[in-house]
Amino acid sequence: MAEVKRLRLAKTPQWSAERLAAEMAAAGVPWTRDAVVNLETGRRKRLAAHELLALAYVLGLASPVELLAPATAPKIPVTPSVDVATLDARAWCWGQIGPLAEWLAAEPYEREAIRLRWVQTEEQAVLSAQSRLRAARSAGTVPDGQD
């Protein structure tokens, strides 16, 4: 994940691999300098979800999407056999488009309608959840700490 090295070196002052490892450890993810170097050079191929989130946190990123789909890459793999345009992948991660396969198969003029349909579905799900929560509050059935 060369993006980690780019982001680490962009810090002012530049962070060493040791510094990033120390920041990760301080955040509760016990990394070593070797863990950082192995990730940056591609010897380590995978990150656990908590590591990705911690990396985004310690690097001060707006979102983990900056690591998953760096804006500097023209395309990124979303599966071992499917590469997509980075902007499409980022829109998918941000929830700006619905199912990526449908989006990619659509003609460009169809994409806005797909996005709007997906946003409406998400809005309906949120409204439904809010309605259920209000009903549960009224009935006094919301467990402590759940509202």
Side-chain angles (χ1 to χ4, degrees), residues 57-82:
Y57 171 76
V58 302
L59 289 170
L61 303 179
S63 167
V65 172
E66 302 298 321
L67 294 169
L68 291 170
T72 55
K75 287 189 165 198
I76 63 157
V78 293
T79 75
S81 61
V82 177

Side-chain angles (χ1 to χ4, degrees), residues 96 103 111-121 123:
Q96 294 170 336
W103 176 265
R111 289 183 173 178
E112 181 62 13
I114 292 169
R115 187 188 70 77
L116 288 173
R117 187 174 63 243
W118 188 80
V119 167
Q120 289 169 346
T121 300
E123 287 173 345

Side-chain angles (χ1 to χ4, degrees), residues 29-101:
V29 180
W31 273 18
T32 62
R33 177 196 173 282
D34 288 342
V36 173
V37 171
N38 288 340
L39 180 66
E40 291 177 349
T41 60
R43 286 191 295 268
R44 182 174 179 190
K45 305 287 185 207
R46 294 183 176 92
L47 282 177
H50 75 280
E51 292 173 311
L52 176 74
L53 295 171
L55 258 177
Y57 171 76
V58 302
L59 289 170
L61 303 179
S63 167
V65 172
E66 302 298 321
L67 294 169
L68 291 170
T72 55
K75 287 189 165 198
I76 63 157
V78 293
T79 75
S81 61
V82 177
D83 287 352
V84 300
T86 298
L87 290 177
D88 287 341
R90 289 171 70 90
W92 180 45
C93 289
W94 284 107
Q96 294 170 336
I97 60 172
L100 189 58

Side-chain angles (χ1 to χ4, degrees), residues 10-27:
K11 297 298 251 179
T12 304
Q14 285 187 352
W15 283 10
S16 64
E18 292 88 357
R19 169 78 186 269
L20 180 54
E23 295 290 335
M24 290 291 285

